[in-house]
Amino acid sequence: MIVMDWKLLKKLNNRVMGMTKTKEERDFLPINIAVLTVSDTRGIEDDKSGDTLVDRINGAGHVVIERDIIKDDLAEIITKLKGLINNKNIDVIISTGGTGVTGRDLTPEAFEQVYEKEIPGFGELFRMLSYDKIGTSTIQSRATAGVAGGTYLFALPGSPGACKDAWDDILVHQLDYRFKPCNFVELMPRLTEN
């Protein structure tokens, strides 16, 4: 298990960048990610969306610190999110499922109750990229993202294709410390500053 001390990282990064490396030459920094599937019907053996995320996260060199499946229940999702946010070994939470418009789709509502800050551009960009692949059906997605307790949270639709698109087209870049001109990882040390 990798545990990042972001304050130390910031000091070391400032020292290293000032001495030997440019921004373009930064080293890869693996981050710790929790994968959460929200579903009333899936189990670990048939969680293709969760598998898609785990495979891509590991393939990019990051660490899946926890993986879980929970029911489409607002209180249960909120409780699980708060527990993951309070785990200082987790940098990012990515959920899949429950972002549609049916009565049981409650993931965005749960996420909104724990956010300190929303990242509206994530959902907007996800739907824009999805439009090229699924047309106007993308309007049914309520993918969302935000920050709470120094942890990034991303809620993705429950299909493997949507998870693939969100990871390959957005998250693989924004969760890579080397990506320029800017990325989410370089902001981690500052997420909890006042």
Side-chain angles (χ1 to χ4, degrees), residues 4 17 32 40 65 93 102 115 130-131 140 143 150 157 173 177:
M4 282 290 170
M17 285 186 51
N32 297 326
D40 287 334
I65 223 90
I93 301 164
T102 70
Y115 286 159
S130 293
Y131 180 79
Q140 295 180 27
H173 307 296
Y177 185 60

Side-chain angles (χ1 to χ4, degrees), residues 111 115-120 122 144-148 151-155:
F111 272 58
Y115 286 159
E116 293 165 4
K117 292 187 178 184
E118 186 178 6
I119 306 171
F122 174 79
T144 184
V147 178
T151 303
Y152 288 110
L153 297 94
F154 301 95

